[in-house]
Every structure is written in C-alpha cells, then in structure tokens.
Amino acid sequence: MPFRQSIKIIAVLLLIMLLIQLLNTVTNGIISQFGIIPRTTMGLIGIPLAPWIHHNWLHLASNAIPLALLSFLALQNGFKQYILVFAFITLVAGSGVWLLGSAAHHAGASLMIFGLWGYLLALAFFQRNVKNIFIAIVVFFIYGGLAFSLLSYQPNISWSSHFFGMLAGLLAAQLFKNNGVK
C-alpha cells in the first residue's frame, strides 16, 4: 500500500480515538463504561467498542504510537486485509476477554496492539516471503518486549486483553495467510 495512503488511514484511526477520548473527557468518563465488562449483558457492547475507548489521555497516548506503527506495517499487506484482520482480532479477542477476563472495565487499543503484533510475527511464518519476514524482524526488534508483558501481572492493566489480542492475531495470520495478499 502506498505510504501516503497508509498514513491517511492511520490518521483517521487515531483521529477517531482522539475524538472518542475527547467525548469521554467532556462526559467525565461516561464512554469508559462501554468497554468490555466480562460475563455481563452490558459488557457485550464492549466487544466491538473496547479498542476505541481509553480511560484517560495517558492511556490513549501510550497506545497511539504502537498502534500507528503496527497498523502501518499491517497495511503493507493491503487495506482489505487490514480491515479483515482488525475486525477479526477485535471480535475474537474481545470475546475471549468477555468470556474469561477479570471483573473490570476492559478497554483500550492494547488489544489491537498485541493482536497486530502476533499477526505480523506469525504471518512471516505462514507466508514465508521476504516482505513479511522483514516486517516480522522489524516488529520483533521494536516490540519484542511485549512478550515479557504477557508473563507479568501489572495492576490496572488488562492482561487478558493482551493475551487474547495476541492469540487472535496468531489465529488471524493462520486463517488469512492465503487471502490473495502479495
């Protein structure tokens, strides 16, 4: 995908998150309630919404750069593939968090960050072409430390979002490996 087109898509993605966070701030955190609340009917709405919602500006800021970079790299396999993978990770990982996550309001793009991370690493294994191997090397070099966060518990951070995001990304790479992407 051309560089400028990728940047425009990422800018729109981040603008949407920025506007949602602005609305969340103006409403004193009302939007945060629409995250994933495991095993509740109300929490089901959070499955598609959680990656777009952040509990505060620092939360959004800490997710913005990794999401932008990993999205840029995932877009190198095409916009349609990116949308398919994004939707798959959102729904599968969100469902995993809803079924097995801790009793909390789970929200944030880290679900997508870990999902795209797992997807980009696994895609190199499944497709074994120079482009995806190079992308996987870049991803591992920059974000290899994400693996360690899966092995540790940090209060107020949704470990289940990270874990199910990564798992959904691995599954997405397996399922969509032959999706006509060059």
Side-chain angles (χ1 to χ4, degrees):
M1 170 168 277
F3 180 80
R4 284 185 180 208
Q5 192 175 7
S6 296
I7 296 300
K8 286 179 184 178
I9 292 165
I10 292 164
V12 168
L13 176 78
L14 294 177
L15 181 62
I16 292 168
M17 288 182 179
L18 186 77
L19 292 172
I20 290 170
Q21 183 55 37
L22 184 61
L23 183 60
N24 201 27
T25 300
V26 170
T27 62
N28 291 320
I30 295 270
I31 305 298
S32 289
Q33 74 178 328
F34 296 107
I36 300 168
I37 306 165
R39 296 166 301 284
T40 66
T41 305
M42 175 69 173
L44 288 170
I45 189 82
I47 292 172
L49 299 179
W52 303 95
I53 300 169
H54 293 83
H55 297 302
N56 55 53
W57 288 101
L58 181 60
H59 187 206
L60 175 60
S62 67
N63 283 332
I65 292 172
L67 180 64
L69 181 59
L70 293 168
S71 289
F72 176 81
L73 294 170
L75 279 163
Q76 300 318 298
N77 285 312
F79 180 69
K80 288 180 183 177
Q81 180 81 357
Y82 176 77
I83 293 297
L84 188 62
V85 168
F86 195 99
F88 181 85
I89 292 169
T90 298
L91 296 176
V92 170
S95 297
V97 172
W98 187 85
L99 284 169
L100 301 170
S102 64
H105 284 82
H106 300 263
S110 60
L111 180 140
M112 286 309 305
I113 291 165
F114 278 81
L116 291 172
W117 177 71
Y119 167 75
L120 291 167
L121 292 175
L123 196 61
F125 174 78
F126 292 122
Q127 286 191 345
R128 297 183 189 183
N129 62 42
V130 174
K131 178 179 78 176
N132 287 319
I133 290 170
F134 178 75
I135 288 172
I137 290 168
V138 169
V139 167
F140 187 78
F141 179 73
I142 296 172
Y143 291 115
L146 290 180
F148 295 111
S149 72
L150 290 170
L151 303 174
S152 64
Y153 170 78
Q154 297 174 349
N156 300 320
I157 294 179
S158 176
W159 181 86
S160 58
S161 291
H162 296 184
F163 175 75
F164 288 113
M166 185 226 23
L167 191 61
L170 297 175
L171 288 170
Q174 168 65 32
L175 288 173
F176 306 129
K177 67 183 178 200
N178 298 322
N179 215 31
V181 178
K182 296 165 187 74

